[in-house]
Amino acid sequence: MYDVVIIGAGPAGLSAAIACRESNLNVIVIDEFSKPGGRLLGQLHQEPNGEWWNGIKETQVLIDTAEKLNTEIKCGVSAHHIEKVEHGYAVHTNIGVLDTTNLLIATGAAETAVPIPGWTLPGVMSIGAAQVMTNVHRVRVGKKGIVVGVNVLSAAIARELQIAGIELHSMALPIANTVTKKHADPRTVMDGLVRIAHLAPSAFLRFGSKFAKSEWVRDIAVKLYPKGGVKMWGMPIHIRKAIVQINGTEKVESVTMCDITADGEVIAGSEKTIDVDFVCIAGGLYPLAELAAVIGCPFQYVEELGGHVPIHNEQMETPLKGLYVAGNITGIESAKVARAQGTLAGYSIAKNHAKIQQAMRDVKSVRDSASIQFHPSIVEGRERIHRSFLEYENAQ
């Protein structure tokens, strides 16, 4: 019988375990991957202040701290079902049933699929898979590739692939269809580019992004967007070109790219074939929240948070007694925010009131100072989900 079972050994789960162990709670952290760290393991980028964020090193700091506190961490363990029982929760896993009074779900996020013709060929992968293969497993994903989908996530990981010595032809939009509609709209994509332009090495781009915050300026920028794209780190980023199809017989051999209008419509006769041997598709992230749904946790769809999110309060507590959430399951943000949320969740579980308020302030501070945000209205989204918690509690 555990005081706390934590599902997910990423930055949120590990930080929560450390906070719980500080209060001497009996904790176990489980994760289906072969090593702890979650998506943090694949992260390697330079921040605006010039410092490097190395996810492997950051993970090791958390592991070392957890081990000093004699935290039980088991990897290669999958949780496939959860029951709400009299004493708390029964977590069904491939190593048996784990009984616990409190449960923290810190399962993170998953990537959204963006289907385009030819996407089932060997050599096509999600941008996140390319990141893990490159930075975690040290596997070269190919010699020359292209990124389909222009957003915060794809821009960050594309740079990581370049640092690893992988050649990228460019980044372009997917061809518009029912599923890719948002990702294929040049104006929507331009909104996202404005939010990451401050990371660009070009002073001109950083300066221009300040003006592009105006809607009418963004419209002009889309209409006048250069045919050769705008280069970041020497790589063209296209929002007026789209990938129509991925070509190949037994594996990726090329892609067909076309010009598109400011409204995302294909310009007839503009198709060109580009030789590549791998394609990374970037459709963004959504909260991985199925386990919370299994035990009947109420949800709300909040676009600013990336999708359906378990209802929770500022202390990471859900309406179900003893059930807590932290990290990207609560909304798509950076690993630093997830880490701060995990610490807050741990103190909430331990009822460490002396540290809860400071931990809440830390989450806000980390969020406010984040170099990138996956969604522009994250604060408003958080306020909506916290109000939903109060409304749900009052209705019971």
Side-chain angles (χ1 to χ4, degrees):
M1 183 70 182
Y2 290 95
D3 294 321
V4 191
V5 167
I6 297 174
I7 304 176
L14 291 174
S15 298
I18 291 167
C20 288
R21 287 298 298 144
E22 287 177 1
S23 295
N24 205 33
L25 296 181
N26 184 18
V27 179
I28 183 172
V29 184
I30 61 173
D31 196 291
E32 63 182 0
F33 194 53
S34 58
K35 59 179 72 173
R39 286 190 176 270
L40 188 57
L41 291 170
Q43 296 180 5
L44 177 65
H45 62 264
Q46 191 173 23
E47 302 201 311
N49 61 5
E51 294 181 1
W52 281 88
W53 171 261
N54 186 324
I56 292 177
K57 288 184 177 180
E58 297 296 334
T59 297
Q60 196 58 52
V61 170
L62 290 172
I63 294 173
D64 290 345
T65 305
E67 289 179 346
K68 286 178 182 177
L69 294 169
N70 298 314
T71 308
E72 185 177 1
I73 302 172
K74 287 187 178 293
C75 292
V77 178
S78 298
H80 54 264
H81 182 55
I82 301 172
E83 288 182 275
K84 183 77 176 74
V85 293
E86 185 177 352
H87 61 261
Y89 297 92
V91 182
H92 295 253
T93 76
N94 59 310
I95 59 170
V97 178
L98 305 177
D99 293 309
T100 182
T101 304
N102 299 286
L103 175 62
L104 170 65
I105 302 180
T107 42
E111 289 189 80
T112 302
V114 178
I116 57 176
W119 73 320
T120 58
L121 281 168
V124 181
M125 66 201 78
S126 72
I127 192 75
Q131 182 189 47
V132 171
M133 290 174 68
T134 302
N135 293 339
V136 179
H137 300 298
R138 300 294 195 258
V139 173
R140 190 181 184 90
V141 294
K143 295 180 180 179
K144 180 182 179 182
I146 195 165
V147 178
V148 183
V150 179
N151 53 46
V152 172
L153 182 69
S154 63
I157 298 179
R159 180 55 181 157
E160 293 177 11
L161 297 179
Q162 284 185 319
I163 292 170
I166 297 171
E167 182 182 354
L168 292 176
H169 175 274
S170 60
M171 297 174 64
L173 306 188
I175 193 67
N177 58 41
T178 304
V179 178
T180 66
K181 186 177 180 181
K182 181 175 68 173
H183 306 285
D185 177 36
R187 289 186 175 86
T188 301
V189 174
M190 176 60 81
D191 287 342
L193 279 179
V194 169
R195 299 201 306 276
I196 61 172
H198 64 286
L199 301 175
S202 165
F204 175 76
L205 288 179
R206 294 195 299 270
F207 180 74
S209 69
K210 297 177 181 179
F211 293 96
K213 292 179 181 178
S214 167
E215 186 174 344
W216 70 270
V217 172
R218 287 200 301 271
D219 285 342
I220 294 175
V222 170
K223 291 177 181 177
L224 300 180
Y225 200 84
K227 287 188 176 181
V230 172
K231 289 188 176 182
M232 287 180 69
W233 310 294
M235 175 185 58
I237 297 181
H238 298 290
I239 66 169
R240 291 289 301 274
K241 292 182 185 291
I243 304 303
V244 179
Q245 184 164 322
I246 303 169
N247 310 308
T249 51
E250 297 182 355
K251 60 181 181 179
V252 172
E253 297 173 2
S254 66
V255 296
T256 302
M257 179 186 282
C258 69
D259 295 336
I260 58 175
T261 67
D263 296 318
E265 298 176 355
V266 174
I267 297 175
S270 64
E271 294 83 359
K272 292 182 180 178
T273 300
I274 300 166
D275 293 332
V276 293
D277 64 355
F278 75 93
V279 175
C280 295
I281 297 181
L285 300 169
Y286 67 92
L288 192 59
E290 289 85 349
L291 285 176
V294 165
I295 43 179
C297 181
F299 279 72
Q300 182 175 359
Y301 181 83
V302 183
E303 186 174 356
E304 297 91 340
L305 301 181
H308 287 90
V309 177
I311 290 176
H312 59 280
N313 63 13
E314 288 187 82
Q315 297 181 17
M316 316 314 296
E317 182 181 14
T318 76
L320 300 186
K321 183 180 178 181
L323 177 65
Y324 297 78
V325 288
N328 277 353
I329 185 178
T330 73
I332 309 303
E333 293 193 79
S334 71
K336 290 182 180 180
V337 173
R339 187 172 59 184
Q341 285 183 325
T343 298
L344 171 57
Y347 289 146
S348 295
I349 294 169
K351 303 294 189 290
N352 191 334
H353 300 293
K355 292 188 176 182
I356 287 175
Q357 293 302 317
Q358 181 57 53
M360 289 173 63
R361 288 192 290 271
D362 289 344
V363 170
K364 183 179 184 303
S365 174
V366 172
R367 177 175 295 126
D368 291 344
S369 62
S371 58
I372 59 174
Q373 287 187 340
F374 290 87
H375 295 273
S377 303
I378 193 75
V379 174
E380 291 82 353
R382 291 288 176 200
E383 291 173 350
R384 282 180 58 194
I385 205 71
H386 295 156
R387 286 197 302 270
S388 296
F389 178 89
L390 293 175
E391 292 168 0
Y392 187 90
E393 290 282 275
N394 293 333
Q396 297 305 301

